[in-house]
Amino acid sequence: MSKNIKTIDFKIEGMSCAACSKSAERSLKKTNGVSSASVNIATEKAIVEYDPSICGFEDLKHSVEKVGFHIAEEEKKTLQKDDNTKRQFLVAAIFALLVFIISMGPMVGLKLPNIISPTHNPQNYSLLQLLLTIPVLIAGRKFYINGYKAIFNLGPNMDSLVAVSTTAAVLYSLINTFRMLFDSEFLAKIIELHAHVPIYYESATMIIALIMLGKTLEARSKSKTSEAIKSLMELQAKTAILEIDGKEKEVSIEDVKKGDTIIVKPGKKIPVDGKIIYGNTSIDESMLTGESIPVEKSVGDAVTGSSINKNGYIKFKAEKVGKDTTLYQIIKLVEDAQNKKAEIANLADVVSGIFVPIVMTIAIVSAFLWHFVGHADFEFTLTIFISVLVIACPCALGLATPTAIMVGTGKGAENGILIKGGDSLESAHKVTTIAFDKTGTITNGKAVVTDLHIVEESFKESEIIKLIASAESGSEHPLAEAITLFAKNKNIEIEKAIDFKSYTGMGIEATVDTRKVLLGNKKFMESIDAKVDEKSENISQEYAKMGKTPMYIAIDNKFIAIIAVADTIKDSSIETIKKLHELGIKVAMITGDNKNTAAAIANQVGIDIVKSEVLPSEKSNTIKELQEKGEFVAMVGDGINDSPALAQADLGIAIGNGTDVAIESADIVLMRDNLMDVANAIKLSKETIRNIKQNLAWAFGYNIIGIPFAAGVLYIFGGPLLNPMIAAAAMSLSSVSVVSNALRLRKFKPYDSKQEESKKESK
């Protein structure tokens, strides 16, 4: 196969069921040069991988048109098509209703003028219905064009069922209409016996009108499933103010180029991604992170397109524009996710692909059995044939999976959970073990001072903090940063230190305000003969057991205090792991830290499996070990060193503020730095899969019950015979019901770590 493979996606118009999408997909796959093709009935989109040296867009277009559909070329045409569809439905509905009233009115006591009365003038009665039927057939012509084209291409679909059933009803009615006009004996018999006029125009017209109604309601419901993408697109700024030669110029967002200097005034949207070069402000990034509290920004900080500048006047350099912006990437990710199929969708695809031919066979066999074995008349046989074809339409079956996935991925995006495909959404519900990285995932990833134990009471706390922070100000060690930040937060002034010395593996020494300050481990204290009492040693060991790093402090070679520094646990970690346990999932932690620190963190948050002292290159092997034990493993990480493990895991989950490499390697990206979203992703997956199973059960159950009912099985035992109009109404209702059930996912309520914490406190 050529390496020159390209991917293209386009919208296909004219599809109405899963059999339609399967037919289009099959035709595209047969095209010479196409390596893969996927057609989604819910989004009406095709994703095709092809070799441009072998085939081109025109070949793909021909493959789609060959089976009765066409590629939408412009959004404008799509809108016009939607308007035409509504008009066609209104025409069909009005004329079908007139035919229904004329046909069924006399049965409920409605008196028609003698000139069109079935008892006085059955010819005019039939001709009038025929004339009123013609506009309905024209309005519903797509059923015949697509339906018969699909039959000729050996890929019958839902349109084929409608076309064949209504054609049978119209042809039968047309023959009898002409018999009344030209066969006087036939006409006399009907008038003399006041017999039922043997025409079925009302069935044909009402089937078309009801199915068009179902499609209209279905389209309206389906449009709601993509609201997440629409709302994301609406977030984008329409214009930007550029600074050109010291002057302001407002331009369209499409005209902004990388490197432009952009001015953003208070209350305005940030147009594109970039970095601040002038001013400071607070920015509302809730559209990206879900966090309602504005983030303080100053020179050098990054800003994201579509976030809102709250109160400052800033200038920034555009770094990412157009399709490179964060917002566009999110929109693309959600769109791609909605087009990717979940494994469970294959079941519906396979069934839908063979369902229509089977239904047509059942309809023919049922009709023949009733006519030749049951000795039923032709009208009865025709009713059976039409009812089976209409009620067995696989629309509901085809919509069961993609609509739920569309709503699920859209709801995830709304809550800061970006799911890269239907397959990823489905995989999440299978997870039995979730492995977390420690630093930056379970913990905040930044060391902070947690404790200060003073032994020498002649020293005040503020004085000790001032001395050690001043001494550490010359060091770039993370522990030194924690101490200097601790002093700044307490508004303690840091002085300049002199004679700074660092002793590898032991500690540091510096002179602050004529005093010799020493900070390090027990070995360091022993090397300067600073005696550490037993109580302080025990306290130090307790700190270590808790995962903290204790450091001894000596002033002028005299031990005076212990300070403890630790990478603190995120507020959401404990509640997240509790929720995962409630969901029946085991939790593992993989870290390069020593056993004591790892064990301490694990005990605090409730980890089940601890893998410590693991090198970055060994993380993926640890995931493999868990998989070999039969676990379906998800990995949660945020760093470059996590990317191999994310790729190895059955499901990779990246924290959105992590590295690009980690995000690329993951199946799910969490935009907020909130670990509870891991539990939310699993919960969303479980609810979506449950919804899909409900949809499939409804769709399969409907056909299993409906087909025998339409075939006249109940009639054998004295039950009613299904009217084709009722079959059409029930078929349309089943599709609308499946889509409506999928829309219930819009009520998905994520766990809120803050709410869970407040519940805990109230108890």
Side-chain angles (χ1 to χ4, degrees):
M1 186 182 286
S2 169
K3 291 182 179 179
N4 185 28
I5 296 295
K6 285 191 176 180
T7 302
I8 187 173
D9 62 83
F10 47 81
K11 194 168 183 178
I12 297 178
E13 292 179 344
M15 298 188 300
S16 51
C17 68
C20 295
S21 62
K22 195 69 181 172
S23 176
E25 188 175 289
R26 190 163 50 239
S27 183
L28 285 166
K29 283 179 177 176
K30 286 179 181 177
T31 307
N32 190 28
V34 171
S35 54
S36 74
S38 175
V39 180
N40 187 317
I41 182 62
T43 58
E44 297 181 325
K45 270 193 174 182
I47 298 177
V48 182
E49 289 184 355
Y50 70 103
D51 186 340
S53 64
I54 300 174
C55 70
F57 182 74
E58 286 302 316
D59 299 300
L60 302 178
K61 188 178 177 182
H62 175 70
S63 297
V64 170
E65 289 173 349
K66 189 170 72 174
V67 286
F69 315 115
H70 59 277
I71 294 173
E73 294 178 7
E74 299 171 20
E75 189 66 24
K76 188 177 178 182
K77 286 185 179 179
T78 303
L79 294 171
Q80 288 173 346
K81 173 218 162 201
D82 291 342
D83 290 339
N84 288 338
T85 302
K86 288 175 185 174
R87 281 197 293 270
Q88 286 165 1
F89 164 64
L90 286 173
V91 169
I94 291 167
F95 282 93
L97 185 61
L98 290 172
V99 174
F100 182 77
I101 292 169
I102 293 167
S103 173
M104 297 296 179
M107 295 183 186
V108 292
L110 178 67
K111 288 185 178 181
L112 297 174
N114 287 345
I115 195 169
I116 56 167
S117 167
T119 53
H120 294 87
N121 201 327
Q123 311 102 302
N124 288 351
Y125 173 76
S126 302
L127 281 170
L128 179 60
Q129 289 187 54
L130 171 60
L131 290 171
L132 292 171
T133 298
I134 291 170
V136 180
L137 297 178
I138 293 170
R141 62 188 177 278
K142 84 172 188 72
F143 293 119
Y144 303 98
I145 296 168
N146 295 345
Y148 284 116
K149 195 179 276 189
I151 291 173
F152 295 144
N153 282 288
L154 303 178
N157 54 31
M158 171 253 179
D159 290 344
S160 305
L161 297 180
V162 176
V164 172
S165 60
T166 55
T167 298
V170 170
L171 282 176
Y172 176 73
S173 305
L174 200 59
I175 290 166
N176 284 339
T177 299
F178 277 92
R179 283 182 71 190
M180 281 183 275
L181 289 171
F182 302 106
D183 187 340
S184 55
E185 286 184 19
F186 180 70
L187 177 62
K189 186 179 178 182
I190 291 172
I191 295 172
E192 184 184 344
L193 299 175
H194 296 287
H196 163 67
V197 180
I199 55 174
Y200 276 91
Y201 293 120
E202 84 285 348
S203 290
T205 56
M206 288 304 289
I207 285 169
I208 290 170
L210 285 167
I211 290 175
M212 288 178 81
L213 171 63
K215 287 289 147 199
T216 302
L217 294 174
E218 184 185 298
R220 185 179 295 178
S221 297
K222 278 163 66 178
S223 70
K224 291 180 183 176
T225 65
S226 58
E227 278 183 3
I229 290 178
K230 288 177 186 173
S231 60
L232 283 170
M233 292 178 84
E234 285 168 7
L235 288 172
Q236 192 173 31
K238 302 295 184 288
T239 60
I241 299 173
L242 302 185
E243 185 180 65
I244 302 171
D245 298 328
K247 295 180 181 179
E248 295 182 9
K249 183 183 179 183
E250 189 167 2
V251 299
S252 170
I253 191 74
E254 289 81 14
D255 295 329
V256 177
K257 296 180 180 64
K258 187 177 177 181
D260 283 347
T261 299
I262 299 172
I263 295 169
V264 187
K265 297 174 182 178
K268 298 295 182 181
K269 282 185 179 179
I270 308 289
V272 295
D273 297 2
K275 201 162 273 185
I276 296 176
I277 58 172
Y278 172 83
N280 54 72
T281 186
S282 59
I283 293 179
D284 178 359
E285 294 184 334
S286 57
M287 51 69 64
L288 184 70
T289 64
E291 295 295 335
S292 57
I293 300 170
V295 182
E296 297 298 321
K297 301 275 186 177
S298 57
V299 174
D301 288 333
V303 291
T304 306
S306 303
S307 55
I308 300 169
N309 181 24
K310 297 297 284 184
N311 51 27
Y313 176 93
I314 60 169
K315 296 178 187 178
F316 73 93
K317 282 280 186 191
E319 292 186 339
K320 291 180 181 178
V321 300
K323 294 184 177 182
D324 295 325
T325 61
T326 303
L327 180 67
Y328 186 89
Q329 292 302 315
I330 292 171
I331 292 169
K332 188 76 172 70
L333 198 63
V334 176
E335 282 183 333
D336 289 346
Q338 293 180 346
N339 280 315
K340 285 183 184 175
K341 290 184 180 178
E343 281 182 34
I344 199 167
N346 293 332
L347 174 64
D349 280 350
V350 171
V351 172
S352 297
I354 61 172
F355 195 71
V356 175
I358 290 174
V359 166
M360 295 185 82
T361 304
I362 292 171
I364 294 166
V365 170
S366 300
F368 269 84
L369 285 174
W370 274 108
H371 190 69
F372 293 108
V373 179
H375 305 293
D377 61 26
F378 186 75
E379 285 186 44
F380 185 96
T381 303
L382 184 66
T383 300
I384 293 289
F385 178 72
I386 294 170
S387 295
V388 171
L389 287 180
V390 172
I391 203 165
C393 171
C395 287
L397 190 62
L399 290 166
T401 302
T403 46
I405 286 173
M406 280 183 75
V407 180
T409 51
K411 197 67 187 174
E414 189 182 307
N415 287 282
I417 302 166
L418 299 184
I419 301 160
K420 291 188 178 179
D423 48 351
S424 302
L425 183 64
E426 184 181 10
S427 294
H429 95 283
K430 300 176 188 174
V431 171
T432 57
T433 299
I434 292 186
F436 288 92
D437 172 49
K438 180 184 80 70
T439 307
T441 304
I442 290 176
T443 65
N444 286 301
K446 197 169 185 180
V448 295
V449 173
T450 57
D451 304 271
L452 178 61
H453 171 70
I454 300 172
V455 177
E456 187 58 55
E457 294 179 0
S458 61
F459 284 87
K460 292 181 181 178
E461 181 183 284
S462 59
E463 186 183 1
I464 295 172
I465 295 170
K466 180 180 179 179
L467 289 169
I468 60 174
S470 299
E472 288 281 24
S473 63
S475 172
E476 293 180 358
H477 195 280
L479 299 181
E481 285 182 29
I483 292 169
T484 52
L485 181 64
F486 185 58
K488 286 175 184 176
N489 290 340
K490 287 184 172 287
N491 295 318
I492 294 172
E493 188 180 346
I494 297 174
E495 293 187 2
K496 188 177 180 181
I498 58 172
D499 300 329
F500 177 84
K501 293 175 186 174
S502 176
Y503 300 92
T504 305
M506 294 177 73
I508 62 108
E509 175 190 327
T511 301
V512 179
D513 195 19
T514 71
R515 309 203 75 160
K516 186 179 174 185
V517 181
L518 303 106
L519 188 70
N521 56 23
K522 191 182 175 188
K523 279 185 182 178
F524 192 37
M525 293 298 108
E526 289 171 352
S527 70
I528 59 171
D529 293 327
K531 190 177 179 184
V532 179
D533 61 283
E534 189 177 343
K535 183 183 176 183
S536 296
E537 277 191 36
N538 291 337
I539 289 171
S540 175
Q541 287 171 12
E542 283 300 314
Y543 287 155
K545 285 178 185 176
M546 292 165 68
K548 300 173 182 179
T549 302
M551 289 178 283
Y552 296 91
I553 301 167
I555 304 295
D556 298 326
N557 287 16
K558 183 181 181 181
F559 167 67
I560 63 159
I562 299 173
I563 190 166
V565 176
D567 180 4
T568 54
I569 293 166
K570 284 182 180 177
D571 294 338
S572 58
S573 293
I574 294 172
E575 281 303 321
T576 297
I577 289 161
K578 183 182 173 185
K579 284 296 173 191
L580 291 172
H581 284 152
E582 287 174 10
L583 290 167
I585 296 169
K586 286 181 278 187
V587 181
M589 183 175 75
I590 305 173
T591 178
D593 268 357
N594 63 65
K595 287 182 181 179
N596 289 339
T597 303
I601 297 292
N603 288 334
Q604 287 180 63
V605 297
I607 300 286
D608 304 302
I609 304 162
V610 182
K611 301 285 183 181
S612 57
E613 298 176 7
V614 178
L615 294 173
S617 58
E618 295 172 345
K619 282 188 177 182
S620 59
N621 292 332
T622 307
I623 298 293
K624 262 188 209 172
E625 288 171 16
L626 291 168
Q627 289 170 327
E628 285 166 3
K629 291 177 183 176
E631 300 292 336
F632 195 91
V633 184
M635 171 70 192
V636 183
D638 70 334
I640 291 173
N641 62 343
D642 296 324
S643 53
L646 288 168
Q648 173 62 40
D650 298 296
L651 183 77
I653 302 176
I655 305 293
N657 61 357
T659 65
D660 290 342
V661 178
I663 291 169
E664 284 296 318
S665 305
D667 302 297
I668 295 175
V669 179
L670 308 180
M671 296 305 294
R672 300 181 293 196
D673 190 15
N674 184 350
L675 219 57
M676 188 61 82
D677 284 342
V678 174
N680 286 329
I682 303 296
K683 183 188 179 190
L684 179 62
S685 171
K686 287 181 180 289
E687 290 192 16
T688 303
I689 297 301
R690 189 185 306 123
N691 189 281
I692 289 171
K693 287 177 178 176
Q694 289 168 356
N695 287 346
L696 288 171
W698 173 261
F700 276 122
Y702 170 81
N703 285 311
I704 289 166
I705 295 167
I707 291 174
F709 192 58
V713 173
L714 289 182
Y715 188 78
I716 298 171
F717 302 100
L721 183 66
L722 187 68
N723 186 296
M725 286 184 288
I726 303 300
M731 185 280 293
S732 297
L733 184 63
S734 72
S735 295
V736 174
S737 298
V738 164
V739 176
S740 299
N741 186 50
L743 287 172
R744 288 194 308 112
L745 282 169
R746 293 168 71 198
K747 295 180 181 177
F748 170 78
K749 289 184 179 177
Y751 301 125
D752 186 329
S753 56
K754 291 174 185 175
Q755 286 180 6
E756 297 299 330
E757 192 62 37
S758 62
K759 280 182 195 174
K760 189 178 176 184
E761 286 174 5
S762 64
K763 287 179 184 178

